[in-house]
Amino acid sequence: MSKYNRTKLLPYGLRFIQGVVRGNTRFEIKGASFGVTQVTDNDVINVGKLPNIVGSIPIVAIDDDSLASQGVLGIELSFTQKSTGINHDVTLWDVQINGQQERDNQERPIAYTIAQQPESLTLSDPSFEFRLMVYVQVGDTDKVTINVNQDGMESRVEHARDFNRLVNSIAEGYIEVDLKDHNGNQVYDSNHKIVRVKRTVVNTDKSLSILGRAADAKKVGEVLGAIDSQLRTLDQLLHTNYSTALDLQDVKNIAAANTDINNRQDGKINGLTIKTNEIESGVISNTRAIRILSHDGTSLATHANATVIGRTEYIKTDSTLSDYGAVANAGKVGEAIKQAFLILNAPIAQLVAGYNSLQSNQAIVDLTNQVLALKDQNEAAEHTIQTLKKSVEISSAESQKDNLDALHDSGRYYLGNAMGYNDAVLEVDALGNTNKVMQYIFDAGNNQDRSQRRIGTKSDSSYSWSEWNDEY
């Protein structure tokens, strides 16, 4: 960690402060200079200033009034690539404060500080910022002004805020920009405020025909949906429309030809799979690690001094393939294409296997009869399924499993673990036009024993319950 010695006055600084103490002068602290080679106090005192100045730095802030009553001013300097203008990595060894006395047209060196452990300024991190607070004893703070210049300066917290705003804009798919007219002039509204508009970060292509443009997710989803519908229709046609020997022979020939094509396609698909795996291993995962900063701009760390890292999404992707303006999720597109291929490939493979076994017209007749029989069985099964669905409609009543008296309306109720059953079902039926209802409780499994039952008799708006009697 960087560490600097206490600030010491130079001859001009002592002269300025003596004038302030006597009450016959004022002065202004204008800015600072810095050096990049190690020096001693004697090196500085001998020449009355830093001997190795390489650049200047503006003052970006002053300390609060906590030390002003003691005649001390706190001056804050911000060292960044922009404020220092460095074009190579440097080590910051010493800093000098410059001031100007009233009625004097020239800045003078008034104070300096030397590093015990210097700070390194690097070009590799454009967002890096080092802030140094220098305290100068001036005697009467009311007679000293400080020239603070915040133009172009950005603190670490401000940089993090601007960076997060940029990342959020990218994730949302657009960023705000100033509106300009055709001559490049800024446009203002009637209240003289800058007019800003939203511009998309990624230009998506709804036509799916522009090279280098990201495919629009919703359009991709619509196209794949249309392909899926056509393939399913083709699947049904392949299974139902070829009923004659001639049709079957034609399909057999087509299937055989498609087998050769599929073999070649499989080779290409395997090659594409290898290439895809190679590409996937090097594709950016669409996340960026960022350091989490506290309100004062320092990095947050764990108890083990590990930096706290967060992740943010750069580009907004859409895995539902239904969002205009978003980028189609590659995985979802790949899955849809793969599913479309399987839908087409599976019926062709089945037809090839079936038709290759056909040896005579009798085999064709047998196959036709089997298809018709399966059709009848399917229709019967569908009817049975619909009947069962209607008969097993059950309402969930697990919350009432310990209060069966409350379940007196006709119907079926699922109770879960109740009355010794793992999947208990309670069935309630009215007894004719009487004021009585009957409850059956049984297991929802195959052994539906309905021997456990009881009778409820309605009186006014409530029911009284009794065990089953044979006379009912």
Side-chain angles (χ1 to χ4, degrees):
M1 179 179 292
S2 301
K3 185 176 181 181
Y4 286 78
N5 292 328
R6 293 181 61 184
T7 307
K8 297 182 180 180
L9 290 176
L10 289 165
Y12 275 109
L14 181 59
R15 187 184 308 169
F16 287 2
I17 292 172
Q18 288 174 341
V20 167
V21 172
R22 295 189 186 103
N24 55 11
T25 187
R26 302 176 65 92
F27 72 90
E28 178 182 6
I29 297 177
K30 302 284 289 185
S33 306
F34 64 95
V36 294
T37 57
Q38 189 173 8
V39 297
T40 66
D41 288 332
N42 289 335
D43 295 332
V44 180
I45 295 299
N46 287 338
V47 294
K49 63 179 181 178
L50 291 184
N52 59 343
I53 292 175
V54 296
S56 60
I57 187 79
I59 298 169
V60 296
I62 58 175
D63 197 4
D64 55 24
D65 296 331
S66 60
L67 295 176
S69 60
Q70 304 175 36
V72 177
L73 289 176
I75 305 165
E76 187 175 14
L77 309 174
S78 172
F79 293 84
T80 65
Q81 282 191 23
K82 183 175 181 180
S83 64
T84 58
I86 62 171
N87 54 17
H88 60 280
D89 294 353
V90 298
T91 300
L92 180 65
W93 271 105
D94 37 56
V95 176
Q96 174 180 288
I97 303 299
N98 302 318
Q100 181 175 318
Q101 200 169 23
E102 62 182 355
R103 296 183 299 278
D104 186 356
N105 295 326
Q106 185 174 353
E107 284 188 31
R108 310 288 184 177
I110 62 173
Y112 73 98
T113 179
I114 298 176
Q116 295 179 11
Q117 298 175 16
E119 180 66 42
S120 295
L121 304 178
T122 176
L123 292 176
S124 61
D125 184 2
S127 66
F128 177 82
E129 180 188 31
F130 168 63
R131 289 207 169 192
L132 177 63
M133 182 66 76
V134 179
Y135 291 92
V136 180
Q137 183 81 35
V138 296
D140 186 354
T141 57
D142 291 336
K143 294 185 178 181
V144 181
T145 58
I146 299 178
N147 180 22
V148 178
N149 179 9
Q150 294 180 328
D151 292 342
M153 296 297 101
E154 183 177 43
S155 70
R156 204 175 183 85
V157 175
E158 292 168 337
H159 177 81
R161 179 201 62 203
D162 294 340
F163 180 81
N164 290 335
R165 181 185 295 133
L166 177 61
V167 170
N168 292 336
S169 296
I170 293 175
E172 292 171 1
Y174 65 85
I175 190 169
E176 287 192 348
V177 297
D178 294 346
L179 181 64
K180 305 289 182 66
D181 60 20
H182 65 282
N183 293 322
N185 299 318
Q186 177 66 55
V187 177
Y188 297 86
D189 62 15
S190 58
N191 294 321
H192 300 289
K193 293 184 178 180
I194 295 177
V195 177
R196 300 179 63 84
V197 295
K198 294 179 179 179
R199 187 175 68 184
T200 57
V201 176
V202 177
N203 291 325
T204 56
D205 172 33
K206 295 181 182 179
S207 68
L208 306 181
S209 61
I210 301 178
L211 290 175
R213 183 77 64 84
D216 182 87
K218 183 173 179 61
K219 197 64 180 181
V220 172
E222 292 173 351
V223 172
L224 289 175
I227 294 174
D228 178 74
S229 176
Q230 293 173 6
L231 287 177
R232 292 186 186 277
T233 301
L234 176 61
D235 182 35
Q236 294 175 356
L237 290 174
L238 287 173
H239 283 82
T240 58
N241 287 355
Y242 296 102
S243 58
T244 66
L246 180 59
D247 289 338
L248 288 173
Q249 186 60 44
D250 290 342
V251 171
K252 180 179 178 181
N253 294 336
I254 294 172
N258 273 298
T259 300
D260 294 335
I261 294 173
N262 283 335
N263 290 335
R264 293 193 297 273
Q265 291 281 13
D266 287 344
K268 292 181 179 179
I269 290 172
N270 289 335
L272 287 172
T273 300
I274 294 173
K275 291 293 185 183
T276 300
N277 291 335
E278 293 175 355
I279 292 172
E280 286 178 347
S281 65
V283 167
I284 297 174
S285 62
N286 195 29
T287 58
R288 176 182 174 89
I290 58 173
R291 290 177 294 177
I292 305 301
L293 304 178
S294 66
H295 66 279
D296 61 355
T298 58
S299 296
L300 292 180
T302 65
H303 291 296
N305 292 326
T307 301
V308 179
I309 299 296
R311 294 188 177 275
T312 185
E313 185 181 46
Y314 270 125
I315 302 300
K316 180 182 177 185
T317 57
D318 175 33
S319 59
T320 66
L321 303 182
S322 61
D323 188 2
Y324 278 118
V327 177
N329 181 279
K332 288 297 181 182
V333 175
E335 290 174 4
I337 294 174
K338 181 179 179 181
Q339 184 63 31
F341 170 78
L342 292 176
I343 291 172
L344 177 61
N345 192 56
I348 291 178
Q350 292 174 0
L351 287 173
V352 171
Y355 298 151
N356 281 340
S357 65
L358 296 178
Q359 301 297 329
S360 64
N361 288 338
Q362 185 59 45
I364 295 172
V365 173
D366 292 342
L367 179 60
T368 302
N369 291 335
Q370 291 177 14
V371 171
L372 293 176
L374 286 172
K375 180 180 179 183
D376 293 338
Q377 292 177 15
N378 285 339
E379 291 176 350
E382 177 65 21
H383 177 73
T384 301
I385 289 171
Q386 294 299 326
T387 302
L388 287 173
K389 284 179 65 177
K390 293 179 180 179
S391 67
V392 298
E393 291 179 354
I394 297 176
S395 301
S396 176
E398 292 186 70
S399 62
Q400 299 292 338
K401 64 182 180 181
D402 296 325
N403 183 27
L404 301 185
D405 294 353
L407 302 174
H408 45 69
D409 292 332
S410 297
R412 287 187 175 186
Y413 304 90
Y414 179 72
L415 305 180
N417 296 331
M419 306 296 290
Y421 298 107
N422 290 330
D423 290 293
V425 174
L426 182 72
E427 184 173 342
V428 182
D429 290 319
L431 292 180
N433 294 322
T434 70
N435 62 340
K436 300 180 183 295
V437 295
M438 180 183 294
Q439 285 185 344
Y440 298 89
I441 189 168
F442 55 89
D443 193 295
N446 294 327
N447 184 20
Q448 298 185 359
D449 182 12
R450 287 178 169 78
S451 61
Q452 189 169 341
R453 50 194 170 177
R454 64 178 186 160
I455 294 295
T457 303
K458 184 176 183 180
S459 176
D460 294 330
S461 60
S462 62
Y463 282 82
S464 60
W465 298 91
S466 61
E467 297 302 319
W468 167 265
N469 294 317
D470 292 337
E471 60 264 22
Y472 294 113

